[in-house]
Amino acid sequence: MIESINWYPGHMKKTRELIQENLKMVDMVIEVIDARIPVSSRNPIIDEIVGEKRRLIVLNKSDLSDRKENEKWTDFFSEQGNLTLAMNCMSGEGVKQLYNLLKREQERKNRDQLRKKNLRLMIVGVPNVGKSSLINRMTGKKSAQTGNRPGVTRGKQWLSLENNMQLLDTPGILWPKFEDPKTGLYLAFCGSIKDEILDTETLALELIGVLQEEYPELLSERYKLGEVSETPLMTMEAIAEKRGFIRPGKRIDYERCARTILDEFRGGKIGRITLEKLSDR
């Protein structure tokens, strides 16, 4: 389903060129990823472009993901030589730690330098991982548009932070082809691919299948199901009946049920869920 979608628009190519053109102007790249899908939300194109440039990886939405997995992934990325921080950019949790980390990095950079310079930073990531929310927390004002739909940020923006560091915002960038079909699914589950080009009901069934396998207790508890049904379709129908998503003629409203399941997963209402565990690598 995901593999057949043509979703790589022209502005993605422009964003890649924007990152390449401005990389030499910055001291560090802040890569924002979704803590629920730490692998699928890391664009391999960004990895290729950034190369050996100093990098800080922010595991955003860590309030929606499994606490133990957050710790494991933070350790994993740190061991690879990255600065790493788990955050909740919507609430501001982790911002103080972020500023302390950047301050230490600036001091390290200016050590033994006669002319002290403020850090210049670039923020990158796939759509809808929370880059704009992070920027607004770092600037102390609404400098960037936010939304739960991918593709809100347009063009490049140089912004001044409260500590006089400079930050370059870039639009979210996806990549032309997924090597692993699961990558497309996970990005779609988390809202990084526009729902308008997806079959919502099929996507919700795929999500139910994953949750039945990995988090059956949370799924059952959220929708008061008792034992989870044998198939995703049976589970969806049971959820629809529990929630009253029934059309005239006692027909199940599959579209409304699918939309509810996706929205509640993305909002963390089903529970703290990490779809990609370090142990599965």
Side-chain angles (χ1 to χ4, degrees):
M1 182 261 296
I2 295 294
E3 291 176 296
S4 64
I5 295 171
N6 180 15
W7 50 266
Y8 187 74
H11 76 266
M12 296 289 183
K13 179 176 182 292
K14 293 178 181 177
T15 300
R16 175 175 181 154
E17 293 170 351
L18 174 69
I19 294 172
Q20 289 174 316
E21 290 168 3
N22 291 277
L23 189 63
K24 61 182 178 294
M25 300 172 61
V26 302
D27 304 297
M28 178 188 291
V29 172
I30 299 177
E31 181 184 2
V32 185
I33 64 176
D34 189 320
R36 297 169 294 182
I37 48 171
V39 177
S40 293
S41 60
R42 293 198 75 197
N43 187 338
I45 291 176
I46 291 176
D47 217 32
E48 173 189 324
I49 296 170
V50 171
E52 299 301 316
K53 180 73 71 170
R54 186 74 164 160
R55 193 179 323 196
L56 163 62
I57 295 178
V58 170
L59 288 95
N60 189 31
K61 306 187 182 184
S62 61
D63 58 309
L64 305 178
S65 54
D66 189 305
R67 288 185 180 87
K68 292 182 179 179
E69 292 300 322
N70 289 346
E71 294 175 3
K72 293 176 183 177
W73 281 111
T74 299
D75 290 343
F76 173 77
F77 289 127
S78 296
E79 288 167 3
Q80 290 187 322
N82 304 291
L83 298 171
T84 313
L85 185 63
M87 296 184 66
N88 173 2
C89 297
M90 285 297 290
S91 71
E93 182 181 351
V95 171
K96 184 177 180 180
Q97 294 95 314
L98 173 62
Y99 268 117
N100 289 338
L101 188 154
L102 292 175
K103 181 181 178 182
R104 290 195 299 270
E105 188 64 18
Q106 181 166 281
E107 290 172 349
R108 184 191 67 82
K109 184 178 184 304
N110 284 327
R111 191 175 300 133
D112 302 325
Q113 298 294 319
L114 292 176
R115 185 181 177 187
K116 309 300 182 183
K117 293 183 179 180
N118 293 318
L119 281 183
R120 302 194 90 190
L121 312 163
M122 177 189 288
I123 188 165
V124 299
V126 305
N128 209 36
V129 290
K131 297 187 305 297
S132 295
S133 296
L134 175 59
I135 289 168
N136 292 338
R137 286 289 174 182
M138 293 177 73
T139 58
K141 56 187 177 181
K142 196 169 184 180
S143 303
Q145 287 183 293
T146 61
N148 58 5
R149 291 161 55 85
V152 172
T153 304
R154 301 295 183 192
K156 75 173 182 179
Q157 304 178 68
W158 275 106
L159 303 166
S160 295
L161 306 185
E162 293 177 331
N163 59 3
N164 296 318
M165 293 180 186
Q166 296 289 311
L167 177 66
L168 176 62
D169 183 20
T170 62
I173 177 174
L174 287 168
W175 56 109
K177 182 181 179 182
F178 301 132
E179 296 299 326
D180 184 348
K182 281 187 177 180
T183 298
L185 275 177
Y186 289 161
L187 286 167
F189 291 159
C190 296
S192 290
I193 299 174
K194 291 182 179 180
D195 287 339
E196 288 86 343
I197 61 175
L198 301 170
D199 179 340
T200 305
E201 293 170 30
T202 302
L203 185 63
L205 285 171
E206 293 277 5
L207 176 59
I208 290 171
V210 173
L211 296 181
Q212 283 187 174
E213 185 75 23
E214 300 292 337
Y215 292 93
E217 300 87 356
L218 293 181
L219 188 64
S220 178
E221 182 179 343
R222 176 62 185 173
Y223 298 107
K224 299 177 173 57
L225 299 176
E227 288 190 13
V228 177
S229 302
E230 292 182 9
T231 68
L233 179 58
M234 291 171 65
T235 298
M236 179 183 280
E237 290 174 344
I239 293 171
E241 290 176 4
K242 287 285 186 180
R243 290 292 181 92
F245 298 150
I246 308 296
R247 290 177 170 175
K250 296 184 179 181
R251 293 179 297 119
I252 290 176
D253 190 338
Y254 289 101
E255 196 283 329
R256 186 181 176 193
C257 187
R259 170 58 49 212
T260 296
I261 293 166
L262 289 169
D263 286 347
E264 293 192 353
F265 165 74
R266 292 168 183 171
K269 293 181 180 178
I270 297 176
R272 298 187 62 154
I273 293 168
T274 298
L275 297 176
E276 294 178 321
K277 297 180 172 63
L278 186 59
S279 60
D280 294 334
R281 284 179 64 82

